[in-house]
Amino acid sequence: MTYCVALRLDQGLLFMSDTRTNAGVDNVSTFRKMFTWSVEGDRVITIMTAGNLATTQAVISLLNERSVVPADRKQTLLAAPTMFQVARLVGDTLKEIIHSQAEDGQNAESTFGATMIVGGQIKGMDPRLFLIYPEGNFIEASDETPFFQAGETKYGRPIILRAFDPAMSFEEAIKLLYVSFDSTLKANLAVGMPLDMHAYEADTFETGMQRRIPQDDPYFQSISTGWGEALRAAFMQLPDFTF
Amino acid sequence: MTYCVALRLDQGLLFMSDTRTNAGVDNVSTFRKMFTWSVEGDRVITIMTAGNLATTQAVISLLNERSVVPADRKQTLLAAPTMFQVARLVGDTLKEIIHSQAEDGQNAESTFGATMIVGGQIKGMDPRLFLIYPEGNFIEASDETPFFQAGETKYGRPIILRAFDPAMSFEEAIKLLYVSFDSTLKANLAVGMPLDMHAYEADTFETGMQRRIPQDDPYFQSISTGWGEALRAAFMQLPDFTF
């Protein structure tokens, strides 16, 4: 499993993903699930992947290969004219890979399935964020739903629903995602540290702060411990039930 | 879907379940999922059900019918000598129903599947709590894991993991379950009010406080609102990330 979240903030886009992949509980590895492409001054695109690792690696490799071959440049991440076209390109590539791996019908297609979150900004346009389904179609984040999650989404969702506000600073939003990841890590073995993060600041058209957060990151530890205590304190302070 | 939780407290057993059943999103109904049997001075048994409604209703009906037929009394909820035998009886009945409805192999069995939480106390023994799987086998709550959830368990799990302590009073534990249900209700349409509750006090051998909690219950509303605010306040008070 996997846990990925992307937030569309007024300040820009914030991406965070874990790095655990597993087949069963004893075949556990660390793989990067966040990939960023940029052309300075023109565009920054980040993709996060959840699902079958063979599928997601093939999609990323194909997107990369196509970017370096000069023919038909329009069909690449680095030359697509809009973020909508970028999302379409990723969706089509994903569908193509799943379809080529699964020739035995629907069951196999769900085995090889994957979901992707694509976000970024191209010069002259606003930052945009998309969630791409295994079928290759996709939805875009809106003012009503300015974030997407993929993978093991449920444990970490309540705090995002309660506390997320697009007007947050990056500093607050990173704290929010740490809390959301911490709840997920505590409950599900298939999500694991280290985490990857990318904070893209709107209208800069260059890769923002990227960081790998290890298990022993002091700030993550302080959030994890502090959140447990803060939750218990918040809970205690609510009025008790009376019979 | 469904959400049910049972806590094994030092003070006794606390059960809470929702009442929503749905097939798709437009065939939505309210059905009781919590059932209690008691023989005053001898035993109290509560069962909560999650899964296929036809299956769970058939199991409960069969358990009821068998209790009123006097022959072979040992094989009933009201006469089984221990809670372990009660759990076995429920597990066997569940397996029998699923098996009789699903004659086309594993797929059908998962369609008709259900999970049950069984808890109670029989004179001369401690209160015990079991989780029964569709296969008819079961596990018992222990000091390390003194609670069980069934159905849509993920949204409401982090707060139980963080705040539950078997030494809690019923009043605090009810508050905890309200918070856990509120997080689930906020995130999943397949879990819905009203809720059912049963608080069985250890060594009383009579049905404890039973209550149906409607949508507009003032205490539930105060927890729901208060928890949102308390969460945001707890979150704000954690140190922000610094670049």
Side-chain angles (χ1 to χ4, degrees), chain A residues 152 154-155 162 171 175-176 182 186 209 211 219 228 231-232 235-236 238-241 243, chain B residues 152 154-155 162 171 175-176 182 186 209 211 219 224 228 231-232 235-236 238-241 243:
Chain A
E152 188 60 74
K154 296 185 179 186
Y155 303 105
R162 297 278 200 176
E171 286 81 355
K175 179 170 76 168
L176 177 64
D182 183 56
K186 284 250 180 321
M209 192 202 63
R211 191 171 290 189
Y219 178 65
L231 262 192
R232 277 187 293 274
F235 174 71
M236 286 308 164
L238 290 177
D240 276 358
F241 180 81
F243 280 98
Chain B
E152 189 60 75
K154 296 185 179 185
Y155 303 106
R162 296 278 200 178
E171 286 81 357
K175 179 170 77 169
L176 177 64
D182 183 56
K186 283 250 182 320
M209 194 203 62
R211 192 172 290 191
Y219 178 65
S224 178
L231 262 192
R232 278 187 293 271
F235 174 72
M236 287 306 165
L238 290 177
D240 276 358
F241 181 83
F243 280 97

Side-chain angles (χ1 to χ4, degrees), chain A residues 113-180:
Chain A
T115 304
M116 299 194 167
I117 295 175
V118 177
Q121 186 178 19
I122 294 176
K123 190 89 183 172
M125 287 167 276
D126 286 334
R128 295 172 74 176
L129 189 60
F130 298 89
L131 179 69
I132 319 255
Y133 296 109
E135 291 76 12
N137 59 353
F138 50 83
I139 56 175
E140 181 172 3
S142 64
D143 290 344
E144 291 83 27
T145 306
F147 70 93
F148 285 129
Q149 299 171 287
E152 188 60 74
T153 60
K154 296 185 179 186
Y155 303 105
R157 190 171 178 86
I159 183 63
I160 299 182
L161 289 180
R162 297 278 200 176
F164 179 49
D165 175 355
M168 277 178 159
S169 66
F170 272 126
E171 286 81 355
E172 285 175 306
I174 290 170
K175 179 170 76 168
L176 177 64
L177 292 193
Y178 275 27
V179 169
S180 176

Side-chain angles (χ1 to χ4, degrees), chain A residues 10 16 64 67 87-88 127 131 153 164 199 212 223 226 237:
Chain A
D10 296 346
M16 200 175 285
N64 264 331
S67 295
R88 226 160 92 159
L131 179 69
T153 60
F164 179 49
R212 173 154 286 200
I223 291 294
Q237 158 213 310

